[in-house]
Amino acid sequence: MTLHESAVSTLSGWRPVGAAQESLRQAYLGFLAARDDVCRRECAAGHLTASAVLLDADAENVLLTLHPRVGRWLQLGGHCEPGDATLVDAALREAREESGIEDLVIDPVPVHLDVHPITCSLGVPTRHFDVRFAVRAPRGAQPVQSDESDDLQWWPVNSLPKGSEDLAELVEAALPASSAR
């Protein structure tokens, strides 16, 4: 199964909460049906990305990265790579790379979708069709900042940094998924 086929399968089987997320799910499936290159960053019309809402062992804190290009605190995640078999693989790989934490546990069911305009690494304006997953860190995990971040910090899930209020819905969506373990 290709990454494209896996993405179709993942999104076809997911039943989001709320009409807005269902509308996005349908738009993603339409985009996937229209193009076979949407999992590659070279797709100028836009491409699927995979994010991780990385929560600590007690789901009291979320790890956010100060993104160097965007200049604000964001969840971990990024582009799918040729070696990723699934969106879950991509989100987990990104979480490990950007957090420096091993032994992460990911819930394979998406928790949130978001489409946003961005000029990514190719220097061309495009859109990211982001599929977001809840990930849990082991107890006592200490993040290690990578060169992909200007800073990396745990933030209380109910007290996100100024300028990242739009992440509240995403973090809230990840909480039920992480507490179901």
Side-chain angles (χ1 to χ4, degrees), residues 15-140:
R15 296 298 172 250
V17 176
Q21 287 291 293
E22 175 60 20
S23 179
L24 279 174
R25 184 183 79 86
Q26 292 295 329
Y28 279 43
L29 288 169
F31 193 43
L32 282 156
R35 300 186 65 112
D36 62 0
D37 61 347
V38 300
C39 296
R40 297 193 304 265
R41 73 173 74 200
E42 295 81 16
C43 182
H47 39 269
L48 262 64
T49 54
S51 286
V53 184
L54 181 50
L55 300 166
D56 66 4
D58 296 318
E60 294 175 353
N61 298 288
V62 60
L63 188 66
L64 299 179
T65 179
L66 185 56
H67 196 283
R69 193 169 300 131
V70 179
R72 54 184 293 251
W73 292 99
L74 298 174
Q75 75 282 355
L76 308 178
H79 292 105
C80 298
E81 300 293 342
D84 297 325
T86 66
L87 293 172
V88 170
D89 291 345
L92 191 56
R93 175 186 49 73
E94 287 285 342
R96 286 184 184 127
E97 287 175 2
E98 293 182 9
S99 73
I101 301 172
E102 295 297 323
D103 301 324
L104 298 174
V105 177
I106 189 167
D107 185 328
V109 178
V111 295
H112 194 262
L113 302 175
D114 183 69
V115 180
H116 49 272
I118 191 162
T119 299
C120 57
S121 56
L122 297 176
V124 177
T126 187
R127 292 174 295 167
H128 280 175
F129 289 77
D130 201 26
V131 182
R132 296 153 165 198
F133 297 89
V135 178
R136 192 63 80 81
R139 188 162 306 285

Side-chain angles (χ1 to χ4, degrees), residues 3-15:
L3 177 57
H4 186 277
E5 292 166 337
S6 174
V8 169
S9 176
T10 296
L11 292 170
S12 293
W14 180 50
R15 296 298 172 250

